[in-house]
């Protein structure tokens, strides 16, 4: 069974950076693109970017270039997303999601709250 | 970027109703269109891929159709567990983009 287990809630200060994780299980981690999606409170879904753990190839939504950095550690089947220079606009739930004819598998989401 | 528009942001229907949710793309997307269901607890589920293919495990009352720029999701015989927000998503051209969502409520 494919499972994506995300790290827990984060409270961060404006200007700081946060790094969240998405641990995959139940499939060959290096064979599928892992995507990240943002959802601000009461808002819709926004695609941030994707990484192919097999060779660390990445593709970003232009909007998030310089904001998000995607990495993956194959030995632990874990994908990471680091968000930098946090502002209130970065307060959101962030999902990792794996492709299979669409985003077929989703993590439970990581809530990031940016506040003083 | 391709803009995905769900003109109906909320929809109220009765149990047993047939419900159609629409989605329009700012340019043709060649049927590269998926539908997702998001429950109130945040759980997201893929319902339909490539316009009309039903994801494994999704009830047969869910169906999708469309072409070019206009697509729709239909739920026949609405059940209580269908209460959720529904999103369309295009994967014709990067960046992948989602519609704004349609929140389905019980009348």
């Amino acid at each position: 069974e494919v499972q994506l287990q995300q790290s827990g809630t984060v409270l961060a200060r404006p200007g700081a950076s946060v790094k969240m994780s998405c641990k995959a299980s139940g499939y060959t981690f290096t064979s599928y693109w892992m995507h990240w999606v943002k959802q601000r409170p009461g808002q819709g879904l926004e695609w941030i970017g994707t990484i192919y753990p097999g060779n660390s190839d990445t593709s970003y939504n232009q909007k998030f270039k310089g904001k998000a950095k995607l990495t993956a550690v194959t030995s632990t089947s874990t994908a990471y997303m680091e968000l930098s220079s946090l502002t209130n606009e970065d307060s959101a739930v962030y999902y990792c999601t794996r492709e299979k004819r669409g985003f077929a598998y989703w993590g439970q989401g990581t809530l990031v709250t940016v506040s003083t | 970027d391709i803009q995905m528009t769900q003109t109906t942001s909320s929809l109220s229907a009765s149990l047993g109703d047939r419900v159609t949710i629409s989605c329009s793309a700012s340019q043709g997307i060649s049927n590269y269109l998926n539908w997702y269901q998001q429950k109130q607890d945040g759980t997201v589920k893929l319902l339909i891929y490539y316009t009309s293919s039903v994801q494994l495990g999704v009830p047969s009352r869910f169906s999708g159709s469309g072409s070019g720029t206009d697509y729709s999701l239909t739920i026949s015989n609405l059940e209580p567990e269908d209460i959720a927000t529904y999103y369309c998503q295009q994967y014709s051209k990067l960046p992948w983009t989602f519609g704004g969502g349609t929140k389905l409520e019980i009348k």
Side-chain angles (χ1 to χ4, degrees):
Chain A
E1 178 193 6
V2 174
Q3 292 191 343
L4 302 176
Q5 183 63 39
Q6 296 189 240
S7 49
T9 297
V10 178
L11 175 62
R13 303 293 189 207
S17 297
V18 297
K19 190 172 186 178
M20 64 193 76
S21 64
C22 171
K23 183 170 177 60
S25 61
Y27 72 97
T28 303
F29 181 63
T30 52
S31 298
Y32 294 87
W33 289 86
M34 185 72 80
H35 299 254
W36 292 84
V37 173
K38 176 183 180 180
Q39 186 172 39
R40 284 182 53 75
Q43 303 299 309
L45 303 167
E46 195 168 18
W47 181 77
I48 296 170
T50 185
I51 184 167
Y52 189 74
N55 59 9
S56 294
D57 192 19
T58 55
S59 178
Y60 292 89
N61 185 335
Q62 183 69 31
K63 179 178 179 180
F64 291 95
K65 282 187 177 178
K67 170 62 67 177
K69 181 180 180 182
L70 305 183
T71 57
V73 175
T74 57
S75 61
T76 59
S77 298
T78 304
Y80 296 90
M81 179 171 70
E82 183 172 14
L83 301 173
S84 60
S85 303
L86 293 172
T87 72
N88 288 339
E89 297 297 305
D90 299 316
S91 293
V93 174
Y94 294 88
Y95 295 96
C96 60
T97 175
R98 201 211 87 179
E99 267 190 72
K100 182 181 179 182
R101 299 172 184 158
F103 298 143
Y105 305 99
W106 292 73
Q108 81 276 22
T110 293
L111 174 64
V112 174
T113 301
V114 181
S115 175
T116 57
Chain B
D1 297 1
I2 296 177
Q3 305 303 315
M4 304 301 293
T5 302
Q6 294 179 243
T7 52
T8 302
S9 58
S10 65
L11 181 57
S12 183
S14 300
L15 296 177
D17 278 358
R18 179 184 177 92
V19 173
T20 298
I21 296 170
S22 299
C23 173
S24 178
S26 59
Q27 64 188 76
I29 55 172
S30 304
N31 293 106
Y32 293 115
L33 189 284
N34 300 324
W35 288 97
Y36 300 87
Q37 175 193 66
Q38 185 177 36
K39 293 291 185 76
Q40 189 63 31
D41 67 358
T43 304
V44 182
K45 180 180 181 181
L46 173 66
L47 299 174
I48 304 287
Y49 61 93
Y50 195 56
T51 296
S52 60
S53 296
V54 182
Q55 175 71 349
L56 191 66
V58 172
S60 58
R61 63 180 181 276
F62 288 91
S63 63
S65 64
S67 64
T69 60
D70 297 314
Y71 299 83
S72 62
L73 171 72
T74 297
I75 310 171
S76 58
N77 194 19
L78 189 67
E79 298 199 5
E81 59 264 34
D82 301 333
I83 299 312
T85 300
Y86 294 84
Y87 294 93
C88 60
Q89 174 245 330
Q90 68 80 22
Y91 59 107
S92 171
K93 185 177 178 182
L94 286 172
W96 307 149
T97 48
F98 293 86
T102 297
K103 186 174 183 179
L104 181 55
E105 299 171 326
I106 296 294
K107 191 181 295 182

